[in-house]
Amino acid sequence: MDEFIDAAIAEAQAGLAEGGIPIGSVLVHEGRIIGRGHNRRVQRGSAILHAEMDALENAGRLPAAVYGRSVLYTTLSPCAMCSGTILLYRIPRVVVGESVTFRGEEDLLRSRGVELTVLQDARCIELMQRFIREQPALWNEDIGA
């Protein structure tokens, strides 16, 4: 298994333990995690704090060249907001834990030259399927449904 997707899954589990939505993300530069986060919309009362946004925020302000040589790992396919952020900061590669429960803007990312690897990791799928079953209203709020 990949240590970075494992770290993203650990973030997702931390978010769930806090009463939030179990999606996690890490930003990796030159083989080292420089930012980690999880969906904190519930915990912070935020409209935009998805896992990818949290990981980037926690990485802090960085030179454009750092983003351009980084890989973003996320447990769930990125939504339109997070995909826009990936494009804005020119992150060249994204590793997605799963897109079974939600398929985000993968076509957009690929069309703009982002290398996307979708793992369909059973742990990520099970975590989201269980959450969606148990918290459908919260899930729908998170994806804007």
Side-chain angles (χ1 to χ4, degrees), residues 78-138:
C79 72
M81 174 179 66
C82 295
S83 294
T85 302
I86 290 163
L87 295 173
L88 177 68
Y89 287 103
R90 295 182 171 87
I91 296 170
R93 183 164 181 248
V94 178
V95 177
V96 175
E98 68 105 345
S99 64
V100 171
T101 59
F102 176 80
R103 189 174 191 280
E105 300 297 326
E106 295 176 15
D107 294 336
L108 171 65
L109 291 170
R110 284 188 178 105
S111 77
R112 297 283 296 274
V114 176
E115 178 189 341
L116 220 59
T117 302
V118 182
L119 303 175
Q120 304 303 20
D121 186 291
R123 299 168 298 169
C124 296
I125 295 167
E126 195 280 326
L127 189 61
M128 284 309 302
Q129 285 179 340
R130 184 177 65 232
F131 178 78
I132 292 167
R133 263 193 324 272
E134 294 173 0
Q135 299 280 343
L138 186 53

Side-chain angles (χ1 to χ4, degrees), residues 34-62:
I34 60 171
R36 60 177 66 231
H38 50 271
N39 186 305
R40 294 182 201 253
R41 291 186 66 251
V42 172
Q43 300 92 312
R44 300 262 175 95
S46 171
I48 63 169
L49 210 47
H50 282 186
E52 299 89 339
M53 306 295 271
D54 193 39
L56 289 166
E57 179 71 14
N58 290 330
R61 185 174 167 199
L62 300 169

